[in-house]
Amino acid sequence: MWASLFLLLFAHTGKCLADFAFISNLDRDVEIQSCVARVIEQTFGLSRRFTYIYNDYIEYLPSAIANPIIVINARKPWSHHYNFYEAMYVIEAFDSGTLRETMKALKESTLWHPHSTREGKFVILTNEKDLASIFRAVWKFSILHVVLVVFEDGTNGKVVTSDPKTQENGCGLTPKLFDYQDCDANLAIKFLSPMRNYNQCPVFIDFHNPYDHRLKYIKPLLPVIEDVLNTTSIRVREPPSKPEMMAVGE
Ligand SMILES: *[C@@H]1O[C@H](CO)[C@@H](O)[C@H](O)[C@H]1NC(C)=O
């Protein structure tokens, strides 16, 4: 009799535990989806089109999202039909190794545009604990508008941003100084203003169009602009003179 009572109790407790685990996983999924949706809304706006890049298995794409999305598996050959250069990306990368591979594939794809991709906005969804390696993987391409959402075991997401143009971050080479936010209703993502203190780091100015006449007026003003922006040097990335000579440089 004790044995059967014990068995009954055991079976009952086991079932409750299973239910509990199931419910808390579901809750976490809902939390994660609403976190990702919130970050997407603040980064791109409610209805702007963005590209969602994943690696074989989509983990974090919210099911209820109004934006038009292009979904690409980074591990499959990238289609050549996607090149309209809407430079807004969400990238799922479990760790920094995956992110480096994905960035390389993006760079080699028809989606990559030598100027507008650099000025684009990137949301990186990752489980990587070494945040410096994540920022380095993206800053390497002169991409400055980066929002990380980090899902460590059991958490619903931390939002991390950083300014590469600081001495603490080695002007982008050694990321160290990060801003953390909880991914809740108080989330406020601020993007870096182009008119800011560059803390004695070099900066680039991109010119997209070979017929942009501002180029010849800006050049003599560079020393003044350098002073205002507190930068050591401004390097002007000039446009290719002919479209077919468009260089894909970093
Ligand atoms: C320029 O940047 C350096 C390095 O971060 C900083 O120490 C200095 O105060 C900055 N100057 C101005 C005028 O903001």
Side-chain angles (χ1 to χ4, degrees):
M1 191 225 160
W2 286 114
S4 56
L5 190 64
F6 180 75
L7 258 179
L8 193 71
L9 202 67
F10 180 78
H12 189 64
T13 320
K15 186 177 175 300
C16 279
L17 280 177
D19 279 351
F20 178 74
F22 180 63
I23 287 168
S24 70
N25 268 342
L26 262 185
D27 280 354
R28 183 164 180 248
D29 283 353
V30 170
E31 286 288 326
I32 286 176
Q33 288 212 359
S34 63
C35 163
V36 174
R38 193 174 284 135
V39 171
I40 286 171
E41 184 188 333
Q42 287 204 13
T43 309
F44 307 136
L46 264 181
S47 54
R48 299 290 301 281
R49 188 202 301 259
F50 65 87
T51 304
Y52 195 94
I53 303 169
Y54 67 100
N55 284 273
D56 280 340
Y57 174 74
I58 299 181
E59 209 170 345
Y60 298 122
L61 180 62
S63 44
I65 203 154
N67 309 52
I69 311 170
I70 290 161
V71 181
I72 294 175
N73 183 354
R75 308 257 172 165
K76 295 269 157 67
W78 295 44
S79 160
H80 287 267
H81 303 295
Y82 296 127
N83 54 353
F84 48 80
Y85 309 134
E86 187 86 54
M88 299 202 276
Y89 300 96
V90 178
I91 299 178
E92 274 190 14
F94 182 79
D95 56 20
S96 54
T98 314
L99 182 61
R100 280 193 293 272
E101 282 167 26
T102 308
M103 290 304 299
K104 194 163 166 275
L106 172 63
K107 176 88 187 286
E108 284 161 7
S109 77
T110 50
L111 271 182
W112 184 272
H113 184 271
H115 294 296
S116 44
T117 306
R118 284 199 198 96
E119 290 165 10
K121 290 178 176 171
F122 282 71
V123 172
I124 313 286
L125 312 175
T126 186
N127 290 58
E128 176 67 65
K129 290 188 171 66
D130 178 6
L131 301 183
S133 66
I134 295 281
F135 278 111
R136 221 181 291 122
V138 193
W139 287 351
K140 187 181 157 215
F141 294 93
S142 302
I143 291 162
L144 307 183
H145 300 304
V146 186
V147 181
L148 302 195
V149 190
V150 186
F151 303 103
E152 279 188 39
D153 313 319
T155 66
N156 300 334
K158 277 257 181 262
V159 177
V160 191
T161 49
S162 181
D163 181 354
K165 303 290 184 187
T166 64
Q167 290 299 319
E168 290 88 341
N169 288 336
C171 295
L173 295 176
T174 52
K176 271 195 195 96
L177 190 69
F178 309 126
D179 293 312
Y180 296 87
Q181 293 186 66
D182 289 328
C183 196
D184 57 18
N186 298 322
L187 181 71
I189 297 173
K190 287 181 207 77
F191 284 99
L192 302 164
S193 156
M195 296 300 290
R196 67 182 195 278
N197 179 4
Y198 285 89
N199 295 299
Q200 293 291 302
C201 293
V203 299
F204 288 94
I205 299 182
D206 280 294
F207 281 88
H208 302 207
N209 177 350
Y211 309 106
D212 193 332
H213 298 298
R214 289 175 302 174
L215 196 55
K216 73 167 180 280
Y217 299 112
I218 281 181
K219 276 193 167 165
L221 290 175
L222 286 181
V224 180
I225 305 174
E226 281 170 0
D227 206 40
V228 170
L229 298 179
N230 194 19
T231 161
T232 47
S233 70
I234 294 182
R235 298 174 203 159
V236 176
R237 265 198 290 244
E238 294 192 34
S241 49
K242 290 186 192 139
E244 65 269 22
M245 287 175 63
M246 205 169 252
V248 184
E250 268 167 36

